[in-house]
């Protein structure tokens, strides 16, 4: 029988998902007996550790289990460096780790389903997503390395089942972010099968966060470059993810620690089963994946060279492969798939179709607390047509009980995917990447090389909006006219792109240049009037867009000389303050019932034109 010992410690550093240390009462379980009898040890040979916060009330027999993330060690030098940090050694783990945020929150408003559950944090110290099982102790440059992640996971699992009450669980969510998200894809079935051995009718589901890493090697990056170079230790080199994880799989002898059904399918290519996109196909348990199409870690470590155009391909591939390998194979699974640029930690900061992550997950909370009958999880109330992000049309509506949520409507702290700072409209135009040319006649015109209706709005519309800060022609003319033309002909293709326009609009307004502000506000008006629901989609972003309105609302700066190359009939002899009032009025009129109170909060001097006219 595995036993755990409560002990003290010092501090945690190097967490991918940050947990604040406090005096809150948690239990630290140091697996000293398992280290001695089963060889379950961290890279440096220290015992593994997990933290447990007990559930209460209706959550006393419900469990949330989280694999900590933090990358992988992908060379011997890398592993040695890692063994001297908290991602390879437990020697400095603190006595308590307060799990306060997101999935760990004890606030019912933040975490309505799991706020009073048992919460378990598995500390990550093996460098291979809890998968390695190499009995040989490797010595590199005088440092001993132990590759025993499988033994760590199994020892903690045994202790939780036999000594801590997990065997009585009615509900179990297996989770983790980043490398811990990959661990969730690799090990959810193992956790669920062990629980079902004692509780056959218990509900068990995986919830990987940002763990769907693609198998990709940039052809321009040498396979497994020298990771001992300064600054590269404990970092996956951009474009070398395939070779790095391939090395980890083989050196750590991970084959026995991952999905055996996957291994049987990929004979002689067992390494594939270390990658989420292959392993997901063989998961039998329901999975609710949290994933960004434009995962910020993958744009910096997986996609390699290529910039924004390569990022677009990355997003397309993540979406298609998640559909193909997980949702198409596992009809009880679903995904919260957003288009914001982030990695982990998006709990309740992104809203899709009205749902936050916590409320998208919450419908399962009305399942029976006891396990007297088998109920699918996710439950039948989760049906929704799967939609392709750029077209918003059903492509697989018959898939049962799968919910693919695709477009972020909120996300104040999370940036939508945009061209990188060096790829401004000016640079795009100068290198011939824009489908336009300028006609230099008596009246300048913008000529399109393709039909505007056929453009990729997710790609081009943010580029033209990003050019609103330009003051020199022809770039200013191109930005404003290009954006105006796309809004004029975009129809229902505009609404899904709204989150990607917020940062360019905010940046233009924050220049506080009256000419740029005037142009930007007129384009905001055109944006709102370009389609249904666009005004309402902007309401959550007032906090970013309206502060500068408050500063200039009373300014009598003439605008009559600020030509904006848009419809000349729209030019009015207004001062800047009047133009701000006009823009706020359009926002209110088209922003729905919440518009006025949110405008009033940001611009206290604003008086409702709608309510006054009622």
């Amino acid at each position: 029988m595995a036993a755990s010992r409560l002990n003290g410690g010092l501090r945690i550093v190097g967490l991918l998902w940050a947990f604040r240390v406090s005096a809150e009462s948690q239990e630290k379980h140091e697996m000293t007996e398992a280290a001695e009898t089963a060889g379950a040890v961290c890279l440096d040979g220290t015992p593994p550790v997990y933290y447990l916060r007990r559930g209460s009330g209706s959550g006393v027999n419900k469990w949330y289990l989280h694999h900590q993330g933090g990358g992988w060690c992908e060379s011997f030098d890398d592993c040695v460096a890692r063994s001297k940090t908290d991602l390879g050694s437990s020697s400095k783990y603190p006595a308590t780790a307060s799990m306060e945020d997101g999935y760990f929150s004890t606030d019912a408003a933040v975490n309505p389903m799991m706020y009073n559950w048992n919460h378990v944090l598995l500390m990550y110290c093996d460098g291979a997503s809890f998968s390695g099982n190499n009995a040989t102790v490797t010595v590199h440059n005088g440092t001993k390395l132990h590759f025993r992640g499988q033994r760590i996971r199994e020892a903690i699992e045994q202790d939780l089942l036999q000594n801590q009450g997990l065997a009585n669980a009615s509900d179990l969510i297996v989770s983790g972010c980043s490398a811990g998200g990959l661990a969730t894809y690799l090990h959810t079935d193992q956790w669920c099968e062990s629980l079902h051995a004692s509780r056959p009718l218990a509900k068990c589901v995986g919830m990987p966060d940002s763990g769907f890493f693609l198998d990709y090697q940039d052809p321009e990056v040498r396979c497994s470059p020298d990771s001992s170079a300064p600054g590269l230790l404990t970092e996956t080199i951009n474009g070398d993810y395939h070779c790095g994880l391939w090395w980890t799989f083989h050196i750590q002898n991970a084959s026995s620690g991952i999905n055996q059904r996957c291994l049987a399918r990929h004979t002689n290519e067992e390494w594939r089963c270390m990658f989420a996109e292959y392993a997901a196909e063989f998961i039998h348990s329901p999975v609710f994946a949290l994933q960004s199409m434009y995962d910020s870690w993958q744009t910096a470590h997986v996609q390699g060279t290529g910039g924004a155009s390569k990022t677009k391909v990355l997003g397309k591939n993540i979406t298609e492969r998640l559909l193909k390998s997980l949702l198409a194979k596992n009809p009880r699974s679903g995904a919260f798939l957003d288009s914001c640029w982030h990695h982990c930690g998006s709990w309740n900061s992104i809203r899709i179709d009205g749902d936050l992550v916590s409320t998208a997950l919450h419908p399962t909370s009305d399942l029976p607390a006891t396990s007297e009958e088998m109920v699918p999880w996710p439950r039948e109330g989760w049906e929704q047509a799967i939609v392709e992000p750029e077209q918003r049309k059903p492509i697989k509506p018959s898939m049962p009980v799968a919910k693919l949520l695709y477009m972020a409507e909120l996300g104040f702290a999370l940036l939508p995917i945009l061209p990188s700072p060096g790829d401004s409209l000016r640079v795009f135009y100068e290198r011939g990447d824009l489908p336009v040319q300028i006609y230099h006649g008596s009246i300048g015109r913008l000529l399109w090389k393709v039909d505007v209706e056929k453009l990729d709005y997710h790609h081009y519309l943010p580029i033209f909006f990003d050019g609103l800060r330009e003051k020199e022609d022809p770039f200013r003319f191109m930005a404003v006219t290009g954006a105006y033309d796309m809004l004029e002909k975009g129809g229902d293709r505009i609404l899904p792109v709204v989150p990607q326009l917020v940062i360019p609009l905010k940046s233009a307004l924050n220049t506080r240049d009256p000419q740029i502000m005037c142009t930007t506000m007129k384009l905001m008006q055109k944006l709102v009037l370009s389609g249904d629901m666009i005004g309402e989609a902007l309401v959550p972003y007032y906090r970013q867009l309206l502060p500068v309105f408050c500063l200039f609302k009373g300014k009598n700066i003439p605008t009559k000389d600020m030509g904006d190359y848009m419809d000349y009939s729209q030019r009015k002899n207004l001062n800047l303050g009047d133009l701000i009032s006009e823009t706020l009025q359009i926002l209110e009129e088209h922003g729905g019932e919440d518009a006025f109170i949110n405008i009033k909060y940001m611009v206290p001097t604003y008086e409702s034109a709608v309510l006054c006219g009622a």
Side-chain angles (χ1 to χ4, degrees), residues 481-520:
T481 307
Y484 183 82
D485 286 351
M486 292 189 71
L487 293 178
E488 184 72 21
K489 300 179 180 180
D492 59 5
R493 304 183 70 187
I494 299 172
L495 179 61
V497 191
V498 167
Q500 294 176 254
L501 306 180
V502 173
I503 298 302
L505 288 171
K506 176 183 176 182
S507 299
L509 292 169
N510 284 347
T511 65
R512 302 189 183 184
D513 181 289
Q515 183 181 24
I516 294 175
M517 291 178 64
C518 170
T519 302
T520 302

Side-chain angles (χ1 to χ4, degrees), residues 98 191 346 402 408 465 525 550 552 603:
S98 178
W191 284 101
S346 62
F465 268 68
Q525 294 180 16
C550 189
F552 284 85
V603 188

Side-chain angles (χ1 to χ4, degrees), residues 174 183-193 204-206 283 285-286:
V174 180
T184 307
Y185 284 106
L186 300 180
H187 307 307
T188 289
D189 273 351
Q190 297 167 347
W191 284 101
C192 292
E193 288 164 6
C204 186
V205 66
I283 301 174
S285 306

Side-chain angles (χ1 to χ4, degrees), residues 172-336:
L172 171 62
I173 291 182
V174 180
S175 188
C177 79
S178 194
L182 175 60
T184 307
Y185 284 106
L186 300 180
H187 307 307
T188 289
D189 273 351
Q190 297 167 347
W191 284 101
C192 292
E193 288 164 6
S194 295
L195 173 60
H196 289 152
S198 57
R199 294 277 285 183
L201 299 181
K203 299 181 288 292
C204 186
V205 66
M207 190 177 69
D209 187 355
S210 304
F212 198 79
F213 299 98
L214 298 187
D215 174 22
Y216 178 71
Q217 181 72 24
D218 190 330
E220 297 184 22
V221 177
R222 183 170 64 87
C223 189
S224 295
D226 181 11
S227 65
S228 64
L232 295 182
L233 291 177
T234 71
E235 273 292 317
T236 296
I237 296 163
N238 194 9
D240 190 51
Y241 180 69
H242 166 85
C243 287
L245 204 62
W246 184 96
W247 185 92
T248 300
F249 171 82
H250 286 93
I251 293 300
Q252 295 230 13
N253 188 31
S255 57
S256 66
I258 57 181
N259 193 301
Q260 298 302 298
R261 292 181 294 275
C262 181
L263 292 175
R265 175 70 60 86
H266 293 290
T267 304
N268 298 324
E269 289 185 315
E270 289 85 356
W271 56 266
R272 289 180 179 271
C273 301
M274 192 71 178
F275 291 83
E277 66 173 280
Y278 306 120
E281 179 179 350
F282 299 92
I283 301 174
H284 286 176
S285 306
V287 172
F288 188 58
L290 316 180
Q291 184 65 48
S292 166
M293 293 168 58
Y294 305 109
D295 186 293
S296 59
W297 192 92
Q298 295 197 55
T299 61
H301 296 89
V302 176
Q303 79 171 39
T305 58
S309 60
K310 190 78 163 288
T311 300
K312 180 182 176 183
V313 175
L314 175 75
K316 181 175 182 289
N317 287 339
I318 287 176
T319 303
E320 290 179 351
R321 297 180 193 182
L322 188 66
L323 283 167
K324 179 180 178 180
S325 64
L326 177 64
L327 300 183
K329 302 291 184 179
N330 191 331
R332 292 191 295 158
S333 290
F336 196 95

Side-chain angles (χ1 to χ4, degrees), residues 96-124:
T96 59
S98 178
M99 294 90 79
E100 298 176 358
D101 299 313
Y103 352 77
F104 289 100
S105 177
T106 56
D107 184 344
V110 174
N111 191 13
M113 182 175 177
M114 302 183 294
Y115 72 96
N116 64 345
W117 289 24
N118 298 279
H119 292 118
V120 179
L121 171 61
L122 280 70
M123 299 304 292
Y124 181 36

Side-chain angles (χ1 to χ4, degrees), residues 307-479:
S309 60
K310 190 78 163 288
T311 300
K312 180 182 176 183
V313 175
L314 175 75
K316 181 175 182 289
N317 287 339
I318 287 176
T319 303
E320 290 179 351
R321 297 180 193 182
L322 188 66
L323 283 167
K324 179 180 178 180
S325 64
L326 177 64
L327 300 183
K329 302 291 184 179
N330 191 331
R332 292 191 295 158
S333 290
F336 196 95
L337 181 64
D338 68 77
S339 61
C340 287
W341 188 71
H342 70 95
H343 182 71
C344 293
S346 62
W347 189 271
N348 284 8
S349 57
I350 297 174
R351 190 183 298 276
I352 304 173
D353 290 350
D355 277 327
L356 301 165
V357 171
S358 63
T359 56
L361 186 65
H362 187 50
T364 62
S365 63
D366 62 356
L367 295 177
T370 61
S371 302
E372 298 302 319
E373 62 177 303
M374 177 64 77
V375 182
W377 192 7
R379 62 194 300 265
E380 292 295 331
W382 280 20
E383 296 103 322
Q384 176 168 316
I386 293 178
V387 296
E388 200 265 337
E390 295 185 0
Q391 296 182 5
R392 294 184 64 91
K393 67 178 182 180
I395 60 173
K396 202 173 181 64
S398 61
M399 182 176 291
V401 204
K403 187 174 188 180
L404 179 65
L405 303 169
Y406 78 97
M407 177 56 69
E409 296 170 359
L410 297 181
F412 299 124
L414 303 172
L415 300 180
I417 186 67
L418 293 170
S420 60
D423 288 335
S424 64
L425 175 135
R426 182 183 297 242
V427 174
F428 274 118
Y429 178 71
E430 289 177 345
R431 70 188 188 194
D433 288 344
L434 292 180
V436 297
Q437 64 185 50
I438 297 174
Y439 172 73
H440 298 281
S442 57
I443 298 178
R445 287 190 298 154
L446 192 68
L447 303 180
W448 292 90
K449 300 176 183 178
V450 298
D451 291 338
V452 176
E453 295 89 342
K454 297 180 180 179
L455 291 175
D456 179 349
Y457 270 60
H458 283 279
H459 180 64
Y460 288 109
L461 192 57
I463 293 175
F464 285 106
F465 268 68
D466 200 44
L468 294 177
R469 287 169 289 174
E470 292 282 358
K471 298 193 70 173
E472 297 181 9
D473 287 328
F475 304 108
R476 177 180 180 271
F477 170 79
M478 186 188 316

